Amino acid sequence: MSPHHRRTLVVAGHGMVGHRFVQAAIERGLTETHDLVVVGDEPRAAYDRVALTSFFQVGADELSFLPTGAYDDPRVRLLTGTEVEGFDPETRTVLLSGGDVIGYDELVLATGAAPFVPPIPGHDLPGCFVYRTIEDLEAIREAAATATVGAVIGGGLLGLEAANALAQLGLETHVVEMAPRLMAVQVDDAGGATLTRHIEQLGLTVHTGAATERVLGDDRVTGLALRGTDPIDAGIVVFSAGIRPRDRLACDAGLDLAERGGVLVDERCHTSAEHVWAIGECAAPSGRMYGLVAPGYAMAEVVVDALLGGPGSFTGADMSTKLKLMGVDVASFGDAHAATEGALELVFSDAVAGIYKKLVVSADGRQLLGGVLVGDASAYGVLRPMVASGIELPDNPEDLILPAGRGVPEIELPDEAQVCSCNDVSKADIVAAAAEGGTTRAGTTCGSCKVQTKKIIEDYYASQGKVVDRSICEHFPLTRQELFDVVAVHGHRSFDQIVEAHGTGRGCDICKPAIASILASQLNGHVLDGGNRTLQDTNDAYLANIQRNGTYSVVPRIPGGEITPDKLIVIGEVARDFDLYTKITGGQRIDLFGARMEQLPAIWRRLVDAGFESGHAYGKSLRTVKSCVGSTWCRYGVQDSTQLAIDLEQRYRGLRSPHKLKGGVSGCARECAEARGKDFGVIATENGWNLYVGGNGGATPAHAQLLAGDLDRGTLLRYLDRYLMYYIRTADRLQRTAPWIDSLDGGLDRVREVVVDDALGLGSELEAAMERHVDTYFDEWQATLDDPEKLARFVSFVNAPDTPDPHITFRAERDQIAPADSAGPVSLGATIPVGAPQ
Amino acid sequence: MTGWVPVCRLDQIEVEGGVAALVEGAAVAIFRTHDGNVYAMSNYDPCSQASVLARGIVGTRGEVPFVASPMHKQAFDLRTGQCLDDAEVRVTTYDVRVDDGLVLVGPPQES
């Protein structure tokens, strides 16, 4: 074989593990020598199955690992909606469902696992589902529209996830578990009982020790018959009774399988056939299958390593888990069931608070072997690495699980302690990355090690004698929050005052817009008032959004997305008369693109006369409050979401903030307004409104989390006022609400303390600040039109106000204008008259 | 280009602001800094290929007076047109003077 021969590597399966394999292959250079063909049978590219339940809030796109549907590396070809029907190790070929046959040099099986459906009578009736793919969830959602009660068979990790999903869909939900407790694999009897109490408090019904004898119903599901007790009425049944490796391909090809299923592989994840490897849930290293994503990721890395000639091996995996199930912390790590000979158990249990913690320690009391945490898993970050690295326990190990405030001992983790088990990142890796200014994957998969990772990085900097410099820029030795306070305390009203008193130089494009925003939040003057104008980024300076050719887009406010036909016609007429490109945005508004700067006042005049206001699409300010049609039109709506969205958008319009702000209001739990993708999201319940905070789309999407539930309108407004003002006062420059909440000591709980419990006593002050904003609101477009001085700047050239900038040219695309590519500086030639100064 | 072209009154340019002017067919950005100096450079931002520099934020980096392009925030030294973020990039600067409250733009400066 010539050294230039490129080899073909086929990956069968594109789930989380298959995707990680491809990622590692690209990152580590395997695609320099190999062409990858990745075959996935689902209709879409790999997505975050661990976060599957959030599909109902965020939709499929947000879960996707490959939103574009393709890898950046052209040497990787991804075939979705395609099955590998079989392969032949002799001829090294795979047969695809379309009939294509592909030759391979190496084959990696990453076909995962399938849900196990026990063969009880009625298991295949319509209304029976499994819980594995986005398509499963879509089917469940559809069925939930006409059902009122759902039952989940299986009280393990996935079963509880599925139950959570049914409850979110508004169903009365039952969990049926054959074992005497929930999560039997991970937790012990007492932990399971604590978990059951938590889940029952949320309104679900838990049946443990309950064997399902048959699924009831003639042509569709009507309920479950349980042995020795009354049947349950249910219109939906979800099976979550464990998984089985998808090893059929290997079986058909004559490969060795493990006794209990799964493709038998050695410690390099190589199967019994030459050039065939298996990773993830379809594989069984040393005969054991691993039903978690972290071991699958580790296997993916091992095979990439092997194909690069490296020494990697897979020698078992940490089966620790930490998760938040319906708001309840549950963690299990190491030898959770005290199976080690002579192991001792230390237990702390507070039935009132719903907290159960257990440590399993060695017979001599020196080593931590494992543990279970329910209700409060904050100690997980320290405890799990202690097990993995064998670090010796302190003299009073019970302190590790006693409630905070009893003097939890500081444990210094050894360098080799594995902090992130999903991505196998050690403390030493994190310290090394911090030293080099790089990053690791720690905290990016399940997130349970985030707090620990942050602490290690902070400790590292402290050990270097470094103070983390949070200065906003070279001109101010202050954070944005400190600047905000300085301005408030001293009552500064201009940039000049602030820079003279607290800064150096004349400012820059970082500090000037930040100070403009701070002044706007506190004084709510016009952004174009004297002295303010030169602080503004171009969008604020021209009250429109600059686009790639130097033109602007204009976005009138359409509160809640509701618009009359007359107003819709005005927008159309303006767009037609000024030849603007129009597009309906994701925020339920209409963007008008391609306006030259000198055209802006005339465009606003038409819009303002028709009753429109500025939509602040340009500002770091409130953009939109998206809504569904709510109870007025929707057959599912339980509240008038449109009215509330309009009211909220009107209330917070013009509010300047550290980053743009978006809101959403949904009229029922179906969440058509995608409110949980917003900085604040409101979802109607039968009893009022649930308030979610800290969501956003963008480059790092985040789901909003529940701050408070079943609020009446007055309380909702009060909490929102406080939340938004608290954010505006304390966030960093350009910090969105999700990372801001993460950055607070205590995170969401801290926000709740301040906003709901009013722990700082700031509530009325924050509300008053918002009231001032509401009272002083004015439309910036109208105010600009009314002021000749402000208008004077809206000219193409100071000495030729109406001569269009010759750089701006358009071409046609899909019957509208689009920016033409610039050909460099353009000269109008000497024939253009240059007027005398006015 | 010959001679000096009057373009506007000094008070038409805000302190730490800019205006665009047409000078012999070319778009020129004219800036006024806090210390009373006036600078002129081509309005065309080579990084974003749009004629926008007059709309940027004016400030200082150390002792250097600069304008940040409103498009992608590259900084340009007002005195020399040198891009402070990319040694390869420079925009043409123009002679400029203020006469009796009138701003006059002269020929492009040789680099």
Side-chain angles (χ1 to χ4, degrees):
Chain A
M1 178 174 50
S2 88
H4 301 297
H5 173 68
R6 290 188 59 76
R7 300 164 65 84
T8 300
L9 192 158
V10 173
V11 182
H14 195 237
M16 294 178 78
V17 171
H19 171 69
R20 167 55 70 90
F21 176 85
V22 177
Q23 261 189 325
I26 294 171
E27 281 169 20
R28 296 181 59 188
L30 192 61
T31 52
E32 302 295 325
T33 51
H34 288 69
D35 291 317
L36 266 59
V37 181
V38 189
V39 187
D41 58 357
E42 287 188 55
R44 65 190 84 238
Y47 51 88
D48 187 355
R49 221 183 286 277
V50 172
L52 191 60
T53 303
S54 66
F55 166 73
F56 292 135
Q57 281 92 50
V58 303
D61 290 348
E62 301 247 340
L63 292 180
S64 180
F65 290 137
L66 275 186
T68 62
Y71 287 94
D72 279 343
D73 191 324
R75 297 160 299 196
V76 180
R77 189 154 66 102
L78 173 63
L79 308 172
T80 51
T82 308
E83 267 185 75
V84 174
E85 304 237 307
F87 69 94
D88 180 356
E90 293 295 319
T91 58
R92 287 205 222 162
T93 50
V94 296
L95 170 65
L96 302 186
S97 50
D100 286 347
V101 174
I102 302 180
Y104 67 80
D105 295 291
E106 305 289 341
L107 172 63
V108 177
L109 302 175
T111 46
F116 169 65
V117 177
I120 54 176
H123 67 87
D124 48 4
L125 280 172
C128 287
F129 301 94
V130 293
Y131 195 82
R132 185 73 179 169
T133 65
I134 286 177
E135 282 66 33
D136 292 335
L137 266 67
E138 283 174 337
I140 290 171
R141 177 164 60 184
E142 194 181 325
T146 54
T148 52
V149 184
V152 176
I153 298 180
L157 215 152
L158 256 180
L160 293 178
E161 280 282 345
N164 186 22
L166 293 186
Q168 281 180 23
L169 288 170
L171 298 181
E172 179 191 328
T173 302
H174 296 262
V175 179
V176 180
E177 168 58 49
M178 200 186 298
R181 62 172 182 266
L182 296 176
M183 289 184 72
V185 178
Q186 290 88 0
V187 307
D188 56 7
D189 280 337
T194 307
L195 185 57
T196 297
R197 277 198 299 280
H198 274 290
I199 288 172
E200 287 186 334
Q201 273 172 13
L202 295 169
L204 284 75
T205 311
V206 177
H207 311 259
T208 47
T212 307
E213 291 195 314
R214 72 168 44 237
V215 179
L216 302 171
D218 294 328
D219 34 1
R220 67 169 294 117
V221 171
T222 58
L224 293 181
L226 305 182
R227 185 180 308 151
T229 179
D230 295 340
I232 300 171
D233 293 331
I236 290 179
V237 170
V238 179
F239 285 98
S240 182
I243 54 172
R244 294 289 181 268
R246 292 176 67 192
D247 51 14
R248 183 193 58 81
L249 284 175
C251 181
D252 290 352
L255 273 57
D256 292 346
L257 301 184
E259 256 175 51
R260 299 169 63 184
V263 188
L264 195 63
V265 295
D266 63 17
E267 60 185 28
R268 310 189 72 198
C269 294
H270 195 263
T271 70
S272 58
E274 290 275 330
H275 303 289
V276 182
W277 313 75
I279 56 178
E281 290 173 341
C282 69
S286 312
R288 180 179 173 188
M289 169 221 191
Y290 294 84
L292 287 177
V293 74
Y297 280 1
M299 289 182 228
E301 299 279 353
V302 164
V303 173
V304 171
D305 198 56
L307 292 170
L308 288 167
S313 66
F314 181 86
T315 53
D318 183 358
M319 297 301 282
S320 302
T321 42
K322 176 190 171 205
L323 62 159
K324 215 175 183 76
L325 270 171
M326 298 176 243
V328 187
D329 273 347
V330 183
S332 155
F333 53 97
D335 179 10
H337 296 297
T340 310
E341 199 177 336
L344 305 170
E345 298 186 12
L346 292 172
V347 172
F348 170 82
S349 177
D350 178 347
V352 177
I355 292 171
Y356 172 81
K357 303 187 202 180
K358 179 177 83 174
L359 295 184
V360 178
V361 301
S362 59
D364 62 3
R366 304 309 304 171
Q367 300 283 316
L368 181 63
L369 301 175
V372 173
L373 306 168
V374 178
D376 171 14
S378 53
Y380 177 80
V382 168
L383 295 177
R384 197 199 53 77
M386 283 183 71
V387 173
S389 57
I391 175 176
E392 193 154 290
L393 279 167
D395 286 340
N396 300 308
E398 65 276 14
D399 286 347
L400 292 167
I401 51 172
L402 289 176
R406 297 276 296 270
V408 175
E410 282 276 319
I411 301 286
E412 176 74 14
L413 291 175
D415 286 347
E416 66 275 16
Q418 187 198 45
V419 174
C420 172
S421 59
C422 295
N423 297 289
D424 188 19
V425 182
S426 68
K427 178 182 169 188
D429 294 334
I430 295 169
V431 170
E436 290 163 16
T439 55
T440 66
R441 277 209 178 108
T444 58
T445 302
C446 78
S448 66
C449 63
K450 266 188 192 167
V451 173
Q452 194 64 24
T453 302
K454 180 164 175 267
K455 184 173 184 316
I456 290 169
I457 293 172
E458 285 172 357
D459 288 352
Y460 166 76
Y461 281 120
S463 74
Q464 300 298 300
K466 284 181 191 163
V467 180
V468 180
D469 181 8
R470 297 178 65 224
S471 303
I472 193 163
C473 67
E474 69 176 68
H475 303 101
F476 292 94
L478 302 167
T479 63
R480 180 188 175 277
Q481 181 184 354
E482 288 163 343
L483 259 176
F484 194 102
D485 291 342
V486 160
V487 173
V489 168
H490 293 269
H492 294 312
R493 305 183 73 83
S494 73
F495 177 80
D496 285 354
Q497 287 173 344
I498 299 166
V499 78
E500 275 158 29
H502 310 284
T504 55
R506 285 304 306 170
C508 64
D509 51 307
I510 308 283
C511 59
K512 281 186 166 177
I515 285 176
S517 166
I518 289 169
L519 289 170
S521 298
Q522 297 190 9
L523 305 173
N524 203 25
H526 198 292
V527 291
L528 303 187
D529 278 342
N532 280 348
R533 210 286 301 167
T534 55
L535 307 179
Q536 312 290 347
D537 270 324
T538 188
N539 286 1
D540 274 304
Y542 293 95
L543 309 173
N545 293 36
I546 197 166
Q547 302 298 339
R548 61 181 310 140
N549 62 350
T551 61
Y552 290 84
S553 62
V554 174
V555 186
R557 179 172 305 292
I558 301 179
E562 184 182 83
I563 187 166
T564 62
D566 281 343
K567 280 189 160 179
L568 200 51
I569 288 166
V570 169
I571 289 182
E573 287 175 344
V574 169
R576 182 193 60 206
D577 295 352
F578 289 88
D579 194 17
L580 304 175
Y581 167 84
T582 57
K583 184 166 195 318
I584 294 171
T585 71
Q588 300 186 331
R589 308 192 286 194
I590 300 170
D591 265 20
L592 310 170
F593 286 81
R596 299 167 192 275
M597 194 230 285
E598 66 273 19
Q599 295 177 311
L600 291 172
I603 293 170
W604 296 338
R605 171 55 66 202
R606 292 269 296 272
L607 293 171
V608 167
D609 286 348
F612 285 106
E613 294 180 340
S614 163
H616 288 91
Y618 45 86
K620 301 293 179 227
S621 51
L622 180 88
R623 298 291 175 88
T624 61
V625 180
K626 190 173 176 178
S627 75
C628 61
V629 293
S631 56
T632 315
W633 288 93
C634 173
R635 64 196 164 121
Y636 300 116
V638 295
Q639 306 267 3
D640 188 350
S641 56
T642 308
Q643 182 67 57
L644 183 66
I646 293 170
D647 292 349
L648 293 180
E649 186 162 339
Q650 305 281 27
R651 182 169 183 78
Y652 302 122
R653 63 190 166 176
L655 182 67
R656 292 278 187 314
S657 47
H659 201 291
K660 66 182 173 189
L661 276 173
K662 295 182 181 182
V665 183
S666 279
C668 78
R670 283 175 177 73
E671 245 286 72
C672 294
E674 296 167 340
R676 287 191 64 192
K678 308 294 183 213
D679 297 282
F680 60 91
V682 182
I683 302 176
T685 69
E686 300 279 352
N687 308 313
W689 304 99
N690 283 352
L691 173 57
Y692 294 81
V693 295
N696 58 253
T700 314
H703 307 159
Q705 304 171 77
L706 184 66
L707 185 71
D710 290 336
L711 305 173
D712 60 60
R713 190 190 148 90
T715 310
L716 174 75
L717 287 184
R718 213 163 60 239
Y719 287 176
L720 262 175
D721 284 0
R722 292 176 181 183
Y723 162 71
L724 292 172
M725 269 297 163
Y726 183 38
Y727 164 64
I728 286 170
R729 293 191 167 193
T730 62
D732 275 341
R733 169 183 166 269
L734 300 186
Q735 186 177 39
R736 296 203 72 158
T737 52
W740 166 69
I741 291 172
D742 279 347
S743 75
L744 293 173
D745 200 3
L748 180 68
D749 290 338
R750 182 61 179 167
V751 177
R752 195 175 288 117
E753 282 170 19
V754 173
V755 170
V756 178
D757 307 334
D758 198 9
L760 298 180
L762 274 177
S764 55
E765 186 186 327
L766 295 172
E767 288 166 39
M770 188 63 81
E771 210 53 56
R772 268 198 305 282
H773 165 79
V774 174
D775 291 344
T776 53
Y777 171 80
F778 57 87
D779 174 40
E780 288 171 353
W781 286 352
Q782 173 81 63
T784 304
L785 292 171
D786 290 345
D787 184 343
E789 254 184 57
K790 293 188 175 79
L791 277 180
R793 289 187 316 100
F794 289 84
V795 293
S796 54
F797 297 108
V798 68
N799 57 347
D802 300 319
T803 305
D805 186 328
H807 289 99
I808 300 174
T809 50
F810 298 99
R811 62 195 167 83
E813 186 177 286
R814 295 185 295 276
D815 300 329
Q816 297 203 66
I817 59 162
D821 284 335
S822 168
V826 177
S827 172
L828 284 181
T831 54
I832 299 293
V834 175
Q838 300 155 1
Chain B
M1 165 90 56
T2 57
W4 292 81
V5 179
V7 291
C8 64
R9 296 189 314 275
L10 181 62
D11 62 17
Q12 285 179 277
I13 314 176
E14 286 169 282
V15 175
E16 292 183 340
V19 298
L22 259 186
V23 180
E24 303 269 320
V28 176
I30 302 154
F31 301 97
R32 183 178 174 190
T33 53
H34 192 257
D35 56 15
N37 285 318
V38 177
Y39 300 95
M41 64 170 69
S42 168
N43 195 42
Y44 185 80
D45 169 12
C47 303
S48 67
Q49 304 188 355
S51 190
V52 293
L53 288 181
R55 304 177 218 162
I57 286 177
V58 173
T60 55
R61 271 201 195 176
E63 298 297 308
V64 180
F66 81 101
V67 61
S69 168
M71 207 65 94
H72 299 303
K73 305 294 189 286
Q74 285 91 356
F76 295 90
D77 187 332
L78 290 175
R79 301 165 307 184
T80 63
Q82 177 60 49
C83 178
L84 301 176
D85 303 311
D86 185 345
E88 308 270 296
V89 175
R90 200 184 145 272
V91 298
T92 304
T93 50
Y94 289 78
D95 283 333
V96 63
R97 66 184 159 91
V98 181
D99 234 13
D100 197 20
L102 271 189
V103 178
L104 299 101
V105 173
Q109 294 171 334
E110 300 300 320
S111 55

